[in-house]
Amino acid sequence: MTSDERTSDGRIGRAAMLLVLGVTLARIVYLVWLCPYELAADEAQYWDWSRASHLDLSYYSKGPGVAWLIAASTRVFGDAEWAIRLPAALSAGVSMLAVAALAGKVGGSRAAFAAAVAFCCVPAYHATAILMTIDSPYIACWALAALAAWSLRERGSLGGWLSLAACLGVGFLFKYTILLLVPGLVAWWWLERGRERVAASVLVRASAALVVFALIVSPVFIWNARNGWPTVSHLLGHLGAAGGDLPAKATPRPVDPRWSLEFLGTQIGLIGPILAAMALAVADASRNRLVDTDGWRVARFGLATSLPILVFYFAVSFTTDVEGNWPIAGY
């Protein structure tokens, strides 16, 4: 099968679908009947936000997505711990499906199955699938946005633009750093187009997508405008900057190289050996000139949708401690 045929095949395949369904059902069974763990502190806080008396357009440190998702689940199934965590398991299933679909567009059903297996081999994704934090739905939105962006390369329809905007907008309601996808996608799109002029129809569709994105994220800005922009203050406080909710430091904090080393070490532990082995295989293939033009196109897309967030948090690690789970959507 030629590379063009593989790209046009676009199938997920029965094996990948069964794997996604089987893993998701197993996680739900575990949460309902086997999970011995009480809610973690973050989970309990998000559940408290989701109660009718506290449900709001946004929150001090987070967008409203996690509270809205828990509220939807608990309104249907009650306030059981498994019901609070159910959206995490379902979101992980969506992530697997999106990754498989993206691989299917590039390499057909066998690649789709391999991608779903690889997703299951990342230790961090198992943890996010059973703990109801912002991570699992955020990763799902990241994967869906990547899938929508690749689909735009194939068709460039208005629906594709709106799908991308919706994925980015919903992801923003969970975690604001989904916007780090945008510069990578812009750079990838620019490299793909080369010197080709931007058609007027593309600008119209992109403008419509921007309107959709603005509408989806508007609850965060409405809530902040009403409450004096506390989220901005919180983010500035994280950086130790003036105007933050923590006192700004009179002198810069000395750089501690252990922060960056710890960050790199936690990444190795969180992503596991499978992705590391894949990276080494790609490096070996490129060194031996085994990667063709289509392969490099796929590689550029992978780097565009991952490097911005990975580089961003690595840079942040030179100024402060970085939680290991913060950049895992990029993988």
Side-chain angles (χ1 to χ4, degrees):
M1 181 180 289
T2 67
S3 59
D4 289 340
E5 289 171 334
R6 289 196 304 268
T7 302
S8 63
D9 179 89
R11 295 178 298 173
I12 297 178
R14 180 178 298 177
M17 291 291 293
L18 290 175
L19 177 63
V20 172
L21 182 61
V23 170
T24 303
L25 287 176
R27 285 171 175 158
I28 294 173
V29 168
Y30 172 78
L31 290 176
V32 176
W33 288 290
L34 302 175
C35 182
Y37 304 113
E38 296 180 348
L39 295 180
D42 284 353
E43 292 179 295
Q45 181 181 26
Y46 300 148
W47 168 73
D48 188 48
W49 287 355
S50 73
R51 295 192 294 172
S53 58
H54 293 163
L55 206 58
D56 211 335
L57 292 177
S58 193
Y59 299 90
Y60 178 76
S61 60
K62 299 287 188 296
V66 65
W68 291 358
L69 207 53
I70 294 173
S73 181
T74 54
R75 296 303 185 274
V76 176
F77 300 108
D79 288 323
E81 291 171 343
W82 70 265
I84 294 170
R85 289 171 168 156
L86 178 62
L90 296 178
S91 296
V94 171
S95 298
M96 285 182 65
L97 197 60
V99 169
L102 181 55
K105 285 181 175 293
V106 174
S109 57
R110 292 180 64 185
F113 179 75
V117 170
F119 188 92
C120 290
C121 292
V122 178
Y125 293 159
H126 284 292
T128 59
I130 59 174
L131 296 175
M132 190 54 222
T133 66
I134 61 175
D135 287 325
S136 190
Y138 170 67
I139 293 168
C141 291
W142 190 286
L144 288 170
L147 175 61
W150 184 267
S151 299
L152 271 179
R153 167 187 174 270
E154 297 175 339
R155 292 183 296 273
S157 64
L158 176 60
W161 279 99
L162 298 183
S163 295
L164 176 59
C167 295
L168 291 173
V170 174
F172 185 88
L173 298 180
F174 291 99
K175 196 170 183 179
Y176 307 132
T177 51
I178 199 169
L179 294 182
L180 291 172
L181 255 178
V182 175
L185 290 177
V186 170
W188 169 75
W189 178 78
W190 184 263
L191 290 172
E192 284 287 298
R193 293 186 61 87
R195 296 176 178 271
E196 183 182 348
R197 294 184 59 184
V198 180
S201 59
V202 172
L203 295 176
V204 172
R205 293 166 184 168
S207 299
L210 184 61
V211 170
V212 170
F213 174 82
L215 289 173
I216 293 174
V217 304
S218 61
V220 174
F221 292 93
I222 292 172
W223 183 88
N224 272 276
R226 290 175 177 174
N227 292 278
W229 300 98
T231 300
V232 176
S233 177
H234 175 71
L235 295 175
L236 291 174
H238 262 307
L239 299 175
D245 56 0
L246 296 175
K249 297 176 175 62
T251 57
R253 188 180 181 184
V255 174
D256 189 339
R258 289 177 296 181
W259 298 334
S260 300
L261 293 175
E262 182 181 356
F263 171 74
L264 294 175
T266 56
Q267 295 311 293
I268 295 172
L270 288 171
I271 67 173
I274 297 297
L275 289 188
M278 291 169 63
L280 291 175
V282 171
D284 181 68
S286 62
R287 184 171 57 252
N288 291 290
R289 303 180 183 275
L290 300 178
V291 182
D292 60 12
T293 302
D294 287 340
W296 281 118
R297 181 177 291 115
V298 175
R300 284 198 298 268
F301 181 77
L303 292 173
T305 53
S306 60
L307 276 186
I309 192 169
L310 299 177
V311 171
F312 172 78
Y313 279 118
F314 181 66
V316 171
S317 73
F318 286 97
T319 63
T320 188
D321 296 307
V322 175
E323 297 292 335
N325 65 301
W326 288 355
I328 59 173
Y331 293 109

